[in-house]
Amino acid sequence: MRHDFMELDWEGAGYHGFPGGDASEDEADAWSGFEQVLARAKQGDFSGVGQLPAIYEEADWMLGAACAELMGDIGDRRVLESLHPAVTAILDPTYSVDLGRTLAIAGHLSSVPVLLEALVKLADFEDAPALVQMLSVMLEPEPGALGDIGRLDDVEAYADHVRRQAAVVAARTGSPDAVVMFGDVFSVERLVAVMRQRLAEGGRFDPYWRHRFEATTGVDCSGFYEDGILQPLQALAVIEEFEDLGGTGRYEPGRRYFFGHVLPD
């Protein structure tokens, strides 16, 4: 399907949708800076990440969301920590949610207090549930009580629960700053196992799992979906080929990668 607009679509082509050759001239111009940073990052050059906050500031919502996600995928500690004031000040609640998701995508356990500080302040904001969902993915082995958006009605009690679970995860991983997902040190092997099980057994498949897998490994997952509809057999074939080629053994647990390249801290 051809569009005259561009987007980073995790139920479509994902990062493999760029460069977006089908876009209008105006859209292509607006997205050019993002595309340049992404293209270099795919080759292991992360020097352009510092340009993304400025692009985000001037972007419409689609480009802004894409910048926020790419910052989470390739941002180093300096970039991520520079976002903390924008997340917690709530100068614009949309910024706080977008950039809070950036921190959650990067996955450092030490970002949980920042996310909670923001969430307590914007619990009534319509997009606040996005942070609830990300905290659940970071801290719970499978979707559970931390992903219950209804608990924002008593956000202080919810925040206390998150803090307790974060302490459990810190003890489990041996670090208050571990890169985490599913309540433990982030692991490509674990992520692949979760995706394979869900695809084989049915049930809700979270597009964010595909996001993390594709961003980390660079594997083209555009065949996971057709017209926004999950194709379990096609997705399983991609995952099984990755495993058959020894893909999981190339990634050290607790390290961040982008398209197979180790990210600097």
Side-chain angles (χ1 to χ4, degrees):
M1 183 181 299
R2 297 176 66 89
H3 298 290
D4 61 355
F5 62 88
M6 296 172 69
E7 64 177 325
L8 178 55
D9 183 5
W10 296 113
E11 295 182 346
Y15 281 132
H16 289 274
F18 299 93
D22 293 344
S24 68
E25 184 175 347
D26 287 345
E27 283 289 297
D29 183 62
W31 283 71
S32 61
F34 170 88
E35 288 195 309
Q36 290 167 16
V37 174
L38 174 59
R40 294 201 299 272
K42 287 178 178 180
Q43 302 302 315
D45 176 1
F46 305 114
S47 60
V49 66
Q51 301 172 30
L52 291 173
I55 298 173
Y56 175 85
E57 286 284 342
E58 301 297 324
D60 64 16
W61 73 270
M62 279 190 179
L63 176 54
C67 287
E69 294 191 334
L70 184 57
M71 279 191 282
D73 286 326
I74 69 172
D76 57 25
R77 189 173 299 275
R78 176 187 59 81
V79 169
L80 297 171
E81 290 181 352
S82 75
L83 302 178
H84 289 187
V87 174
T88 58
I90 323 295
L91 298 176
D92 181 321
T94 298
Y95 284 15
S96 294
V97 172
D98 280 353
L99 301 180
R101 289 193 72 253
T102 295
L103 301 181
I105 290 167
H108 290 284
L109 190 56
S110 59
S111 69
V112 169
V114 179
L115 298 176
L116 286 180
E117 181 179 346
L119 192 57
V120 167
K121 295 176 182 177
L122 51 72
D124 294 331
F125 180 54
E126 62 181 348
D127 292 335
L131 297 184
V132 171
Q133 293 160 1
M134 294 301 291
L135 286 165
S136 175
V137 173
M138 289 178 71
L139 300 175
E140 295 186 298
E142 56 187 38
L146 295 189
D148 180 359
I149 62 175
R151 299 188 65 196
L152 289 176
D153 292 340
D154 187 351
V155 69
E156 292 289 355
Y158 174 78
D160 285 343
H161 188 178
V162 171
R163 293 185 190 100
R164 292 194 301 272
Q165 182 63 18
V168 170
V169 174
R172 180 180 298 138
T173 62
S175 171
D177 192 39
V179 177
V180 298
M181 188 175 185
F182 302 133
D184 208 336
V185 170
F186 172 68
S187 161
V188 171
E189 184 175 10
R190 168 68 172 152
L191 175 58
V192 167
V194 168
M195 291 195 298
R196 187 189 339 100
Q197 180 178 4
R198 189 57 54 88
L199 289 165
E201 297 179 359
R204 182 178 180 273
F205 183 90
D206 189 344
Y208 179 63
W209 302 339
R210 172 264 175 102
H211 169 177
R212 286 300 298 271
F213 177 66
E214 181 173 300
T216 299
T217 66
V219 171
D220 186 350
C221 299
S222 56
F224 277 32
Y225 295 87
E226 289 184 5
D227 295 327
I229 299 173
L230 181 66
Q231 306 296 311
L233 293 180
Q234 292 176 198
L236 272 171
V238 172
I239 289 170
E240 289 171 354
E241 181 180 16
F242 176 78
E243 291 181 301
D244 290 345
L245 294 174
T248 57
R250 294 197 289 269
Y251 297 91
E252 179 183 346
R255 297 297 300 271
R256 295 172 63 221
Y257 298 80
F258 187 76
F259 273 62
H261 304 283
V262 177
L263 284 160
D265 189 44

